[in-house]
Amino acid sequence: MTVLITGGSGSGKSAYAEKLAEEEYSNRNLQKENTDNPTGKLYYIATMHIADAESEQRVKRHQQMRKDKGFLTIECFNRLERIIPMLHPGDVLLLECMSNLLANEMYDEEGRIWDREKEACKQMEHAIVQPILTLSRTVAHIVIVTNEIFSDGSRYQEDTECYVNLLGILNQRLSSLADHVVEVVCSIPVCRKGELLC
C-alpha cells in the first residue's frame, strides 16, 4: 500500500506520517504473531542534506520525534534505487521528503535532473517516480511525505520556478499512484483520496 502525505511547513505532516507508519508496522506484527513469516522492519528514509544550522535543527527535531519508536534510519539523498536491495516484502517505509529529494536530484553533483525545460519531467520520472514505484512493489507499505509550497503567490527566479513546477508535477504523479492521499492542516489529517488510516 502507498500513502502520500502532504501539507505546509509546520503542519504536523511528519508526526502524522510517523504515526501512520508505526501503526501499520505494529498491525503487521500483530497479524503475523502466530506465523513463521518474518515481520520485516520499520525504516525511515531520510533525504535531507544538513547544509546549515536550520537544516541541522530540523533533522535533530525529527530524530527526537522518532526516538524509541523502532525506526531504522537510512540516509538516501538521491538515487533511491540504491536502497532497494536491502529491503524485504514485510518492510514498512517512511520516505521523507519529496521536496528534499527533488532538490537533491536537481542541484547536487550526483543529481540526475539537469534539464530545466522539456526533458526535466522525463528525468524526474526516471530519477524519482520509477524508484518509488519499485519500492512500492518491494515492501508491504510505504508512506511518502511531500510539501505543499504552492499557495504563497510569490514569483521566483527561473530556476526556482522550475523546481516549484516540478514538485507540483511530482506531487500529482505520486497522488495518482497512491492508494491514499492525506493533507495535514494544522495537525488535522484531511483525506483527499482513499480513506484515513489513523
Side-chain angles (χ1 to χ4, degrees):
M1 182 183 322
T2 302
V3 182
L4 181 66
I5 309 295
T6 188
S9 178
S11 64
K13 63 186 179 293
S14 295
Y16 178 76
E18 285 179 20
K19 178 181 174 189
L20 190 61
E22 279 182 277
E23 285 190 9
E24 178 62 26
Y25 183 69
S26 295
N27 290 339
R28 293 187 69 75
N29 281 335
L30 290 173
Q31 290 170 3
K32 293 184 178 183
E33 191 171 61
N34 298 319
T35 69
D36 294 329
N37 295 331
T39 57
K41 295 178 180 175
L42 177 62
Y43 285 106
Y44 179 88
I45 313 303
T47 63
M48 178 179 263
H49 274 300
I50 297 178
D52 55 22
E54 181 183 350
S55 60
E56 183 176 7
Q57 284 302 110
R58 182 175 290 169
V59 167
K60 285 180 181 177
R61 187 178 77 240
H62 282 230
Q63 288 171 339
Q64 188 63 33
M65 286 170 53
R66 293 193 309 275
K67 187 178 177 185
D68 302 323
K69 293 182 179 178
F71 284 96
L72 302 172
T73 300
I74 299 174
E75 292 187 357
C76 188
F77 308 127
N78 55 32
R79 299 184 184 265
L80 276 177
E81 64 276 6
R82 291 184 293 193
I83 69 170
I84 293 168
M86 64 181 73
L87 302 173
H88 298 93
D91 294 338
V92 174
L93 304 185
L94 172 53
L95 173 57
E96 187 165 6
C97 150
M98 290 300 96
S99 57
N100 293 327
L101 185 61
L102 177 61
N104 297 340
E105 288 287 4
M106 287 181 73
Y107 302 114
D108 286 356
E109 285 182 19
E110 290 185 38
R112 293 173 291 174
I113 304 172
W114 51 266
D115 196 84
R116 297 297 182 257
E117 294 180 17
K118 61 183 178 181
E119 293 298 312
C121 285
K122 291 179 186 175
Q123 292 167 358
M124 182 179 68
E125 181 76 18
H126 174 73
I128 298 175
V129 176
Q130 291 305 313
I132 287 175
L133 277 170
T134 304
L135 286 172
S136 70
R137 292 186 203 111
T138 302
V139 301
H141 194 91
I142 182 169
V143 178
I144 303 167
V145 179
T146 192
N147 275 306
E148 197 291 307
I149 61 169
F150 314 101
S151 303
D152 64 4
S154 299
R155 297 294 300 168
Y156 300 102
Q157 293 179 354
E158 187 176 340
D159 202 48
T160 304
E161 283 288 333
C162 178
Y163 167 80
V164 170
N165 290 336
L166 278 179
L167 183 59
I169 293 166
L170 177 60
N171 287 351
Q172 291 176 49
R173 183 79 169 98
L174 294 176
S175 69
S176 73
L177 300 172
D179 301 294
H180 305 274
V181 178
V182 177
E183 180 182 9
V184 180
V185 181
C186 301
S187 78
I188 300 169
V190 179
C191 185
R192 298 296 186 195
K193 180 181 179 182
E195 59 185 279
L196 288 177
L197 302 173
C198 73

